Amino acid sequence: LCAQVIQLQSDSRELLWSSPPQGRIAPSQAENLGNMLIAMSTDWRVVTLALVHHLRHLSTLMEACAAFGPVEEAFEPQLMEVLRRRRTRAAFVAAREALDVYAPLANRLGMNQLKNDLENLGFQHLYPHQHRLITEQLAERAEKHEVLLSEQLLVLKRVLQEDTVFMNNIDHVVVEGRQKSPYSTWRKLLKITQNGGRPR
């Protein structure tokens, strides 16, 4: 399985970055690659492992970019700069792939937590300023959002329980809620401002 994961990711990276449009992956190209990853893997576990592997890979690259250890600090300044650039480039590529390819693929496969983790790491690396601002804003409003979410869940549960036709046709129902992640919040704000609205 591991060999298949590595080969799959290697092939996809070669296809993606052979001629990148201004350092971004076109949406159609990302979707085609997601379809290809699913079609090429003979075992669904390969795709799952590829997603988890990419998350770990990106996390490791980000840690490497953040700090040089005593071994690297002993190098000549020019060599250190070369290492820093390579690590930065590798982290950029991995973060871009996380947002444009792997997170949407995780979403299609119903792996919501993995999708959020990929998005938030990619967002944090590519847009650190926006990530920090939105994370701070969400933290400030977390308690208020939690109360609102709990109230709305109670209302929805009550409405469903009062619907006898619905309740008679199912064994049981579970109602859950979640707060939007920093990345999805940022994308929503972008969409609102692009359409001429004002974020609240």
Side-chain angles (χ1 to χ4, degrees):
L1 280 179
C2 289
Q4 289 182 50
V5 169
I6 292 165
Q7 188 60 51
L8 201 61
Q9 290 185 314
S10 174
D11 292 346
S12 65
R13 184 160 287 143
E14 193 174 319
L15 284 169
L16 272 177
W17 298 100
S18 54
S19 56
Q22 299 175 347
R24 285 200 61 114
I25 301 167
S28 59
Q29 189 182 15
E31 187 177 349
N32 289 341
L33 183 65
N35 292 334
M36 186 196 77
L37 285 170
I38 293 172
M40 283 175 62
S41 58
T42 54
D43 188 335
W44 67 270
R45 293 174 298 175
V46 173
V47 178
T48 306
L49 281 173
L51 293 169
V52 174
H53 179 266
H54 192 79
L55 179 65
R56 183 67 195 133
H57 176 63
L58 176 55
S59 178
T60 303
L61 285 170
M62 287 173 65
E63 288 170 12
C65 285
F68 276 76
V71 174
E72 290 95 337
E73 287 171 2
F75 293 153
E76 293 290 323
Q78 287 178 325
L79 181 55
M80 278 188 64
E81 186 56 32
V82 169
L83 282 172
R84 187 174 278 115
R85 283 182 187 168
R86 282 186 183 166
R87 287 181 182 180
T88 303
R89 173 65 183 163
F92 168 82
V93 167
R96 192 77 265 160
E97 289 171 351
L99 288 183
D100 294 343
V101 178
Y102 291 99
L105 183 57
N107 189 45
R108 284 174 61 186
L109 297 173
M111 300 175 183
N112 191 59
Q113 186 58 55
L114 194 51
K115 174 195 82 92
N116 286 341
D117 292 344
L118 285 160
E119 283 179 344
N120 286 326
L121 264 189
F123 180 41
Q124 183 181 348
H125 184 74
L126 293 174
Y127 307 97
H129 178 66
Q130 292 90 331
H131 179 270
R132 184 178 54 78
L133 286 177
I134 288 176
T135 303
E136 287 172 0
Q137 289 288 317
L138 288 176
E140 284 176 16
R141 301 173 184 184
E143 193 175 325
K144 180 182 171 186
H145 287 168
E146 197 64 46
V147 170
L148 185 62
L149 189 60
S150 299
E151 289 172 355
Q152 295 307 310
L153 284 174
L154 288 173
V155 170
L156 184 55
K157 284 177 185 176
R158 192 186 73 243
V159 168
L160 289 173
Q161 287 168 353
E162 289 172 357
D163 188 336
T164 53
V165 175
F166 176 74
M167 293 304 288
N168 289 336
N169 287 297
I170 60 165
D171 292 331
H172 69 283
V173 62
V174 176
V175 181
E176 294 180 342
R178 62 178 175 80
Q179 292 188 24
K180 289 181 83 66
S181 68
Y183 180 68
S184 60
T185 302
W186 180 64
R187 288 197 54 183
K188 185 173 183 180
L189 290 172
L190 280 181
K191 197 176 287 187
I192 291 169
T193 53
Q194 284 168 359
N195 291 335
R198 285 188 62 189
R200 289 181 288 168

mmCIF file of all heavy atoms in Angstrom, residues 20-64:
data_model
loop_
_atom_site.group_PDB
_atom_site.id
_atom_site.type_symbol
_atom_site.label_atom_id
_atom_site.label_comp_id
_atom_site.label_asym_id
_atom_site.label_seq_id
_atom_site.Cartn_x
_atom_site.Cartn_y
_atom_site.Cartn_z
ATOM 1 N N PRO A 20 2.446 24.999 -13.978
ATOM 2 C CA PRO A 20 1.490 25.640 -13.071
ATOM 3 C C PRO A 20 1.136 27.049 -13.511
ATOM 4 O O PRO A 20 2.012 27.832 -13.832
ATOM 5 C CB PRO A 20 2.238 25.670 -11.729
ATOM 6 C CG PRO A 20 3.682 25.618 -12.095
ATOM 7 C CD PRO A 20 3.764 24.851 -13.376
ATOM 8 N N PRO A 21 -0.149 27.396 -13.557
ATOM 9 C CA PRO A 21 -0.563 28.740 -13.938
ATOM 10 C C PRO A 21 -0.343 29.719 -12.779
ATOM 11 O O PRO A 21 -1.118 29.737 -11.836
ATOM 12 C CB PRO A 21 -2.051 28.583 -14.273
ATOM 13 C CG PRO A 21 -2.485 27.397 -13.484
ATOM 14 C CD PRO A 21 -1.276 26.542 -13.237
ATOM 15 N N GLN A 22 0.731 30.493 -12.834
ATOM 16 C CA GLN A 22 1.050 31.514 -11.835
ATOM 17 C C GLN A 22 1.074 30.946 -10.406
ATOM 18 O O GLN A 22 0.594 31.560 -9.469
ATOM 19 C CB GLN A 22 0.053 32.668 -11.917
ATOM 20 C CG GLN A 22 0.073 33.346 -13.274
ATOM 21 C CD GLN A 22 -1.004 34.400 -13.396
ATOM 22 O OE1 GLN A 22 -1.906 34.471 -12.589
ATOM 23 N NE2 GLN A 22 -0.897 35.214 -14.413
ATOM 24 N N GLY A 23 1.628 29.731 -10.278
ATOM 25 C CA GLY A 23 1.761 29.144 -8.949
ATOM 26 C C GLY A 23 0.461 28.671 -8.338
ATOM 27 O O GLY A 23 0.415 28.359 -7.164
ATOM 28 N N ARG A 24 -0.606 28.630 -9.122
ATOM 29 C CA ARG A 24 -1.892 28.141 -8.612
ATOM 30 C C ARG A 24 -2.334 26.967 -9.459
ATOM 31 O O ARG A 24 -1.942 26.831 -10.600
ATOM 32 C CB ARG A 24 -2.949 29.242 -8.674
ATOM 33 C CG ARG A 24 -2.786 30.287 -7.598
ATOM 34 C CD ARG A 24 -4.065 31.044 -7.405
ATOM 35 N NE ARG A 24 -5.142 30.160 -6.987
ATOM 36 C CZ ARG A 24 -5.717 30.232 -5.805
ATOM 37 N NH1 ARG A 24 -5.308 31.081 -4.920
ATOM 38 N NH2 ARG A 24 -6.689 29.425 -5.491
ATOM 39 N N ILE A 25 -3.187 26.152 -8.888
ATOM 40 C CA ILE A 25 -3.726 25.007 -9.607
ATOM 41 C C ILE A 25 -5.127 25.374 -10.074
ATOM 42 O O ILE A 25 -5.968 25.774 -9.270
ATOM 43 C CB ILE A 25 -3.775 23.768 -8.694
ATOM 44 C CG1 ILE A 25 -2.351 23.436 -8.191
ATOM 45 C CG2 ILE A 25 -4.376 22.577 -9.416
ATOM 46 C CD1 ILE A 25 -2.319 22.443 -7.052
ATOM 47 N N ALA A 26 -5.375 25.248 -11.369
ATOM 48 C CA ALA A 26 -6.692 25.576 -11.912
ATOM 49 C C ALA A 26 -7.734 24.631 -11.315
ATOM 50 O O ALA A 26 -7.460 23.443 -11.136
ATOM 51 C CB ALA A 26 -6.677 25.446 -13.431
ATOM 52 N N PRO A 27 -8.953 25.140 -11.007
ATOM 53 C CA PRO A 27 -9.982 24.282 -10.410
ATOM 54 C C PRO A 27 -10.289 23.030 -11.239
ATOM 55 O O PRO A 27 -10.448 21.945 -10.683
ATOM 56 C CB PRO A 27 -11.208 25.203 -10.336
ATOM 57 C CG PRO A 27 -10.639 26.582 -10.271
ATOM 58 C CD PRO A 27 -9.392 26.539 -11.103
ATOM 59 N N SER A 28 -10.355 23.194 -12.555
ATOM 60 C CA SER A 28 -10.646 22.035 -13.405
ATOM 61 C C SER A 28 -9.511 21.016 -13.332
ATOM 62 O O SER A 28 -9.739 19.807 -13.321
ATOM 63 C CB SER A 28 -10.863 22.475 -14.852
ATOM 64 O OG SER A 28 -9.703 23.143 -15.338
ATOM 65 N N GLN A 29 -8.275 21.517 -13.267
ATOM 66 C CA GLN A 29 -7.108 20.641 -13.172
ATOM 67 C C GLN A 29 -7.120 19.879 -11.847
ATOM 68 O O GLN A 29 -6.840 18.683 -11.802
ATOM 69 C CB GLN A 29 -5.832 21.485 -13.300
ATOM 70 C CG GLN A 29 -4.556 20.684 -13.422
ATOM 71 C CD GLN A 29 -3.326 21.583 -13.486
ATOM 72 O OE1 GLN A 29 -3.409 22.770 -13.167
ATOM 73 N NE2 GLN A 29 -2.209 21.024 -13.879
ATOM 74 N N ALA A 30 -7.463 20.565 -10.767
ATOM 75 C CA ALA A 30 -7.527 19.935 -9.444
ATOM 76 C C ALA A 30 -8.617 18.871 -9.404
ATOM 77 O O ALA A 30 -8.417 17.780 -8.858
ATOM 78 C CB ALA A 30 -7.782 20.995 -8.372
ATOM 79 N N GLU A 31 -9.775 19.180 -9.992
ATOM 80 C CA GLU A 31 -10.880 18.213 -10.006
ATOM 81 C C GLU A 31 -10.513 16.989 -10.836
ATOM 82 O O GLU A 31 -10.782 15.853 -10.442
ATOM 83 C CB GLU A 31 -12.151 18.868 -10.563
ATOM 84 C CG GLU A 31 -13.357 17.965 -10.442
ATOM 85 C CD GLU A 31 -14.646 18.630 -10.921
ATOM 86 O OE1 GLU A 31 -14.643 19.854 -11.143
ATOM 87 O OE2 GLU A 31 -15.632 17.908 -11.069
ATOM 88 N N ASN A 32 -9.889 17.226 -11.997
ATOM 89 C CA ASN A 32 -9.455 16.106 -12.838
ATOM 90 C C ASN A 32 -8.469 15.215 -12.106
ATOM 91 O O ASN A 32 -8.511 13.988 -12.221
ATOM 92 C CB ASN A 32 -8.817 16.622 -14.137
ATOM 93 C CG ASN A 32 -9.849 17.231 -15.075
ATOM 94 O OD1 ASN A 32 -11.039 16.975 -14.944
ATOM 95 N ND2 ASN A 32 -9.394 18.042 -16.006
ATOM 96 N N LEU A 33 -7.570 15.842 -11.359
ATOM 97 C CA LEU A 33 -6.582 15.064 -10.615
ATOM 98 C C LEU A 33 -7.244 14.255 -9.507
ATOM 99 O O LEU A 33 -6.892 13.094 -9.278
ATOM 100 C CB LEU A 33 -5.504 15.969 -10.024
ATOM 101 C CG LEU A 33 -4.402 15.199 -9.308
ATOM 102 C CD1 LEU A 33 -3.627 14.341 -10.279
ATOM 103 C CD2 LEU A 33 -3.478 16.122 -8.588
ATOM 104 N N GLY A 34 -8.228 14.849 -8.831
ATOM 105 C CA GLY A 34 -8.965 14.108 -7.805
ATOM 106 C C GLY A 34 -9.646 12.885 -8.387
ATOM 107 O O GLY A 34 -9.596 11.791 -7.816
ATOM 108 N N ASN A 35 -10.265 13.061 -9.564
ATOM 109 C CA ASN A 35 -10.901 11.929 -10.246
ATOM 110 C C ASN A 35 -9.868 10.871 -10.616
ATOM 111 O O ASN A 35 -10.116 9.672 -10.499
ATOM 112 C CB ASN A 35 -11.625 12.407 -11.510
ATOM 113 C CG ASN A 35 -12.826 13.274 -11.194
ATOM 114 O OD1 ASN A 35 -13.409 13.158 -10.113
ATOM 115 N ND2 ASN A 35 -13.194 14.152 -12.104
ATOM 116 N N MET A 36 -8.698 11.343 -11.085
ATOM 117 C CA MET A 36 -7.639 10.428 -11.495
ATOM 118 C C MET A 36 -7.113 9.634 -10.301
ATOM 119 O O MET A 36 -6.875 8.431 -10.394
ATOM 120 C CB MET A 36 -6.501 11.200 -12.146
ATOM 121 C CG MET A 36 -5.414 10.303 -12.733
ATOM 122 S SD MET A 36 -3.901 11.208 -13.062
ATOM 123 C CE MET A 36 -3.203 11.350 -11.422
ATOM 124 N N LEU A 37 -6.947 10.311 -9.154
ATOM 125 C CA LEU A 37 -6.451 9.624 -7.956
ATOM 126 C C LEU A 37 -7.398 8.502 -7.535
ATOM 127 O O LEU A 37 -6.962 7.412 -7.159
ATOM 128 C CB LEU A 37 -6.283 10.621 -6.806
ATOM 129 C CG LEU A 37 -5.081 11.556 -6.886
ATOM 130 C CD1 LEU A 37 -5.187 12.637 -5.829
ATOM 131 C CD2 LEU A 37 -3.781 10.796 -6.728
ATOM 132 N N ILE A 38 -8.694 8.776 -7.623
ATOM 133 C CA ILE A 38 -9.679 7.750 -7.268
ATOM 134 C C ILE A 38 -9.665 6.616 -8.282
ATOM 135 O O ILE A 38 -9.673 5.437 -7.925
ATOM 136 C CB ILE A 38 -11.092 8.365 -7.158
ATOM 137 C CG1 ILE A 38 -11.149 9.317 -5.960
ATOM 138 C CG2 ILE A 38 -12.156 7.283 -7.025
ATOM 139 C CD1 ILE A 38 -12.416 10.127 -5.864
ATOM 140 N N ALA A 39 -9.612 6.971 -9.580
ATOM 141 C CA ALA A 39 -9.656 5.962 -10.639
ATOM 142 C C ALA A 39 -8.407 5.077 -10.652
ATOM 143 O O ALA A 39 -8.488 3.873 -10.909
ATOM 144 C CB ALA A 39 -9.825 6.638 -12.000
ATOM 145 N N MET A 40 -7.241 5.678 -10.374
ATOM 146 C CA MET A 40 -5.983 4.941 -10.455
ATOM 147 C C MET A 40 -5.763 3.995 -9.287
ATOM 148 O O MET A 40 -5.037 3.016 -9.403
ATOM 149 C CB MET A 40 -4.799 5.912 -10.534
ATOM 150 C CG MET A 40 -4.611 6.523 -11.902
ATOM 151 S SD MET A 40 -3.311 7.768 -11.903
ATOM 152 C CE MET A 40 -1.885 6.808 -11.435
ATOM 153 N N SER A 41 -6.367 4.292 -8.150
ATOM 154 C CA SER A 41 -6.122 3.452 -6.980
ATOM 155 C C SER A 41 -7.072 2.258 -7.004
ATOM 156 O O SER A 41 -8.278 2.413 -7.133
ATOM 157 C CB SER A 41 -6.314 4.254 -5.696
ATOM 158 O OG SER A 41 -7.609 4.777 -5.662
ATOM 159 N N THR A 42 -6.498 1.078 -6.896
ATOM 160 C CA THR A 42 -7.300 -0.144 -6.916
ATOM 161 C C THR A 42 -7.913 -0.433 -5.553
ATOM 162 O O THR A 42 -8.796 -1.265 -5.422
ATOM 163 C CB THR A 42 -6.426 -1.341 -7.336
ATOM 164 O OG1 THR A 42 -5.287 -1.388 -6.470
ATOM 165 C CG2 THR A 42 -5.965 -1.189 -8.784
ATOM 166 N N ASP A 43 -7.432 0.253 -4.542
ATOM 167 C CA ASP A 43 -7.891 0.027 -3.170
ATOM 168 C C ASP A 43 -8.211 1.381 -2.539
ATOM 169 O O ASP A 43 -7.372 2.284 -2.560
ATOM 170 C CB ASP A 43 -6.763 -0.682 -2.398
ATOM 171 C CG ASP A 43 -7.199 -1.141 -1.016
ATOM 172 O OD1 ASP A 43 -8.144 -0.557 -0.457
ATOM 173 O OD2 ASP A 43 -6.573 -2.089 -0.494
ATOM 174 N N TRP A 44 -9.392 1.536 -1.986
ATOM 175 C CA TRP A 44 -9.790 2.831 -1.409
ATOM 176 C C TRP A 44 -8.861 3.262 -0.281
ATOM 177 O O TRP A 44 -8.709 4.448 -0.005
ATOM 178 C CB TRP A 44 -11.236 2.787 -0.909
ATOM 179 C CG TRP A 44 -11.449 1.869 0.262
ATOM 180 C CD1 TRP A 44 -11.773 0.548 0.222
ATOM 181 C CD2 TRP A 44 -11.328 2.202 1.654
ATOM 182 N NE1 TRP A 44 -11.866 0.038 1.494
ATOM 183 C CE2 TRP A 44 -11.589 1.025 2.397
ATOM 184 C CE3 TRP A 44 -11.016 3.371 2.334
ATOM 185 C CZ2 TRP A 44 -11.557 0.991 3.780
ATOM 186 C CZ3 TRP A 44 -10.988 3.332 3.718
ATOM 187 C CH2 TRP A 44 -11.261 2.163 4.421
ATOM 188 N N ARG A 45 -8.204 2.287 0.365
ATOM 189 C CA ARG A 45 -7.297 2.624 1.458
ATOM 190 C C ARG A 45 -6.089 3.426 0.966
ATOM 191 O O ARG A 45 -5.506 4.208 1.713
ATOM 192 C CB ARG A 45 -6.822 1.354 2.172
ATOM 193 C CG ARG A 45 -7.930 0.635 2.921
ATOM 194 C CD ARG A 45 -7.457 -0.676 3.488
ATOM 195 N NE ARG A 45 -7.040 -1.583 2.421
ATOM 196 C CZ ARG A 45 -6.494 -2.780 2.627
ATOM 197 N NH1 ARG A 45 -6.297 -3.216 3.860
ATOM 198 N NH2 ARG A 45 -6.143 -3.546 1.623
ATOM 199 N N VAL A 46 -5.741 3.231 -0.314
ATOM 200 C CA VAL A 46 -4.605 3.965 -0.885
ATOM 201 C C VAL A 46 -4.901 5.462 -0.896
ATOM 202 O O VAL A 46 -4.055 6.277 -0.532
ATOM 203 C CB VAL A 46 -4.274 3.460 -2.314
ATOM 204 C CG1 VAL A 46 -3.220 4.327 -2.974
ATOM 205 C CG2 VAL A 46 -3.813 2.015 -2.275
ATOM 206 N N VAL A 47 -6.118 5.830 -1.298
ATOM 207 C CA VAL A 47 -6.502 7.245 -1.331
ATOM 208 C C VAL A 47 -6.520 7.816 0.086
ATOM 209 O O VAL A 47 -6.021 8.920 0.331
ATOM 210 C CB VAL A 47 -7.879 7.443 -2.010
ATOM 211 C CG1 VAL A 47 -8.285 8.900 -2.004
ATOM 212 C CG2 VAL A 47 -7.851 6.925 -3.442
ATOM 213 N N THR A 48 -7.061 7.057 1.032
ATOM 214 C CA THR A 48 -7.092 7.505 2.425
ATOM 215 C C THR A 48 -5.680 7.707 2.963
ATOM 216 O O THR A 48 -5.382 8.733 3.592
ATOM 217 C CB THR A 48 -7.838 6.473 3.306
ATOM 218 O OG1 THR A 48 -9.122 6.224 2.733
ATOM 219 C CG2 THR A 48 -8.003 6.982 4.716
ATOM 220 N N LEU A 49 -4.801 6.766 2.686
ATOM 221 C CA LEU A 49 -3.409 6.889 3.128
ATOM 222 C C LEU A 49 -2.719 8.076 2.461
ATOM 223 O O LEU A 49 -1.914 8.764 3.084
ATOM 224 C CB LEU A 49 -2.632 5.601 2.832
ATOM 225 C CG LEU A 49 -2.842 4.447 3.809
ATOM 226 C CD1 LEU A 49 -2.150 3.195 3.306
ATOM 227 C CD2 LEU A 49 -2.337 4.799 5.193
ATOM 228 N N ALA A 50 -3.042 8.311 1.187
ATOM 229 C CA ALA A 50 -2.453 9.451 0.476
ATOM 230 C C ALA A 50 -2.854 10.761 1.142
ATOM 231 O O ALA A 50 -2.032 11.677 1.288
ATOM 232 C CB ALA A 50 -2.876 9.443 -0.990
ATOM 233 N N LEU A 51 -4.107 10.865 1.569
ATOM 234 C CA LEU A 51 -4.588 12.075 2.243
ATOM 235 C C LEU A 51 -3.878 12.273 3.575
ATOM 236 O O LEU A 51 -3.402 13.372 3.885
ATOM 237 C CB LEU A 51 -6.102 11.979 2.462
ATOM 238 C CG LEU A 51 -6.981 12.004 1.210
ATOM 239 C CD1 LEU A 51 -8.416 11.638 1.560
ATOM 240 C CD2 LEU A 51 -6.936 13.357 0.532
ATOM 241 N N VAL A 52 -3.787 11.213 4.367
ATOM 242 C CA VAL A 52 -3.134 11.301 5.678
ATOM 243 C C VAL A 52 -1.640 11.584 5.506
ATOM 244 O O VAL A 52 -1.066 12.395 6.233
ATOM 245 C CB VAL A 52 -3.361 10.003 6.480
ATOM 246 C CG1 VAL A 52 -2.565 10.010 7.776
ATOM 247 C CG2 VAL A 52 -4.854 9.816 6.785
ATOM 248 N N HIS A 53 -1.030 10.920 4.533
ATOM 249 C CA HIS A 53 0.400 11.130 4.269
ATOM 250 C C HIS A 53 0.670 12.584 3.879
ATOM 251 O O HIS A 53 1.650 13.187 4.325
ATOM 252 C CB HIS A 53 0.872 10.186 3.167
ATOM 253 C CG HIS A 53 2.316 10.353 2.818
ATOM 254 N ND1 HIS A 53 2.733 11.166 1.784
ATOM 255 C CD2 HIS A 53 3.441 9.847 3.380
ATOM 256 C CE1 HIS A 53 4.057 11.142 1.725
ATOM 257 N NE2 HIS A 53 4.509 10.350 2.674
ATOM 258 N N HIS A 54 -0.209 13.149 3.052
ATOM 259 C CA HIS A 54 0.000 14.529 2.621
ATOM 260 C C HIS A 54 -0.142 15.497 3.798
ATOM 261 O O HIS A 54 0.624 16.461 3.907
ATOM 262 C CB HIS A 54 -0.980 14.917 1.509
ATOM 263 C CG HIS A 54 -0.602 16.200 0.850
ATOM 264 N ND1 HIS A 54 0.391 16.285 -0.095
ATOM 265 C CD2 HIS A 54 -1.039 17.463 1.037
ATOM 266 C CE1 HIS A 54 0.546 17.537 -0.475
ATOM 267 N NE2 HIS A 54 -0.328 18.273 0.198
ATOM 268 N N LEU A 55 -1.083 15.225 4.675
ATOM 269 C CA LEU A 55 -1.259 16.060 5.871
ATOM 270 C C LEU A 55 0.002 16.034 6.732
ATOM 271 O O LEU A 55 0.490 17.084 7.161
ATOM 272 C CB LEU A 55 -2.469 15.564 6.677
ATOM 273 C CG LEU A 55 -2.778 16.313 7.966
ATOM 274 C CD1 LEU A 55 -3.198 17.751 7.682
ATOM 275 C CD2 LEU A 55 -3.865 15.590 8.749
ATOM 276 N N ARG A 56 0.536 14.844 6.944
ATOM 277 C CA ARG A 56 1.756 14.707 7.765
ATOM 278 C C ARG A 56 2.955 15.357 7.067
ATOM 279 O O ARG A 56 3.779 16.015 7.714
ATOM 280 C CB ARG A 56 2.021 13.216 8.029
ATOM 281 C CG ARG A 56 3.199 12.967 8.918
ATOM 282 C CD ARG A 56 2.944 13.472 10.332
ATOM 283 N NE ARG A 56 4.190 13.556 11.068
ATOM 284 C CZ ARG A 56 4.561 14.597 11.799
ATOM 285 N NH1 ARG A 56 3.783 15.650 11.907
ATOM 286 N NH2 ARG A 56 5.700 14.599 12.437
ATOM 287 N N HIS A 57 3.026 15.174 5.753
ATOM 288 C CA HIS A 57 4.122 15.747 4.960
ATOM 289 C C HIS A 57 4.116 17.276 5.058
ATOM 290 O O HIS A 57 5.151 17.902 5.304
ATOM 291 C CB HIS A 57 3.973 15.290 3.502
ATOM 292 C CG HIS A 57 4.968 15.862 2.557
ATOM 293 N ND1 HIS A 57 6.321 15.629 2.666
ATOM 294 C CD2 HIS A 57 4.806 16.672 1.479
ATOM 295 C CE1 HIS A 57 6.959 16.269 1.694
ATOM 296 N NE2 HIS A 57 6.061 16.907 0.968
ATOM 297 N N LEU A 58 2.940 17.867 4.904
ATOM 298 C CA LEU A 58 2.814 19.327 4.983
ATOM 299 C C LEU A 58 3.167 19.820 6.385
ATOM 300 O O LEU A 58 3.878 20.819 6.539
ATOM 301 C CB LEU A 58 1.396 19.762 4.606
ATOM 302 C CG LEU A 58 1.066 21.247 4.737
ATOM 303 C CD1 LEU A 58 2.043 22.112 3.947
ATOM 304 C CD2 LEU A 58 -0.358 21.521 4.289
ATOM 305 N N SER A 59 2.698 19.117 7.395
ATOM 306 C CA SER A 59 2.994 19.502 8.774
ATOM 307 C C SER A 59 4.502 19.475 9.037
ATOM 308 O O SER A 59 5.060 20.401 9.637
ATOM 309 C CB SER A 59 2.280 18.540 9.725
ATOM 310 O OG SER A 59 2.587 18.851 11.046
ATOM 311 N N THR A 60 5.173 18.445 8.549
ATOM 312 C CA THR A 60 6.626 18.323 8.727
ATOM 313 C C THR A 60 7.366 19.445 8.009
ATOM 314 O O THR A 60 8.310 20.032 8.546
ATOM 315 C CB THR A 60 7.103 16.950 8.199
ATOM 316 O OG1 THR A 60 6.395 15.919 8.877
ATOM 317 C CG2 THR A 60 8.597 16.761 8.415
ATOM 318 N N LEU A 61 6.928 19.756 6.776
ATOM 319 C CA LEU A 61 7.568 20.831 6.009
ATOM 320 C C LEU A 61 7.392 22.184 6.693
ATOM 321 O O LEU A 61 8.318 22.999 6.720
ATOM 322 C CB LEU A 61 6.988 20.882 4.595
ATOM 323 C CG LEU A 61 7.439 19.785 3.634
ATOM 324 C CD1 LEU A 61 6.613 19.824 2.362
ATOM 325 C CD2 LEU A 61 8.920 19.918 3.304
ATOM 326 N N MET A 62 6.211 22.423 7.247
ATOM 327 C CA MET A 62 5.967 23.692 7.929
ATOM 328 C C MET A 62 6.844 23.827 9.171
ATOM 329 O O MET A 62 7.372 24.898 9.455
ATOM 330 C CB MET A 62 4.486 23.821 8.285
ATOM 331 C CG MET A 62 3.614 24.103 7.074
ATOM 332 S SD MET A 62 1.850 24.067 7.453
ATOM 333 C CE MET A 62 1.704 25.462 8.563
ATOM 334 N N GLU A 63 7.002 22.732 9.896
ATOM 335 C CA GLU A 63 7.884 22.750 11.070
ATOM 336 C C GLU A 63 9.326 23.018 10.652
ATOM 337 O O GLU A 63 10.055 23.752 11.313
ATOM 338 C CB GLU A 63 7.793 21.414 11.818
ATOM 339 C CG GLU A 63 6.493 21.224 12.564
ATOM 340 C CD GLU A 63 6.320 19.804 13.081
ATOM 341 O OE1 GLU A 63 7.305 19.027 13.069
ATOM 342 O OE2 GLU A 63 5.196 19.463 13.489
ATOM 343 N N ALA A 64 9.735 22.416 9.528
ATOM 344 C CA ALA A 64 11.102 22.604 9.034
ATOM 345 C C ALA A 64 11.337 24.041 8.594
ATOM 346 O O ALA A 64 12.426 24.591 8.777
ATOM 347 C CB ALA A 64 11.370 21.644 7.872
#
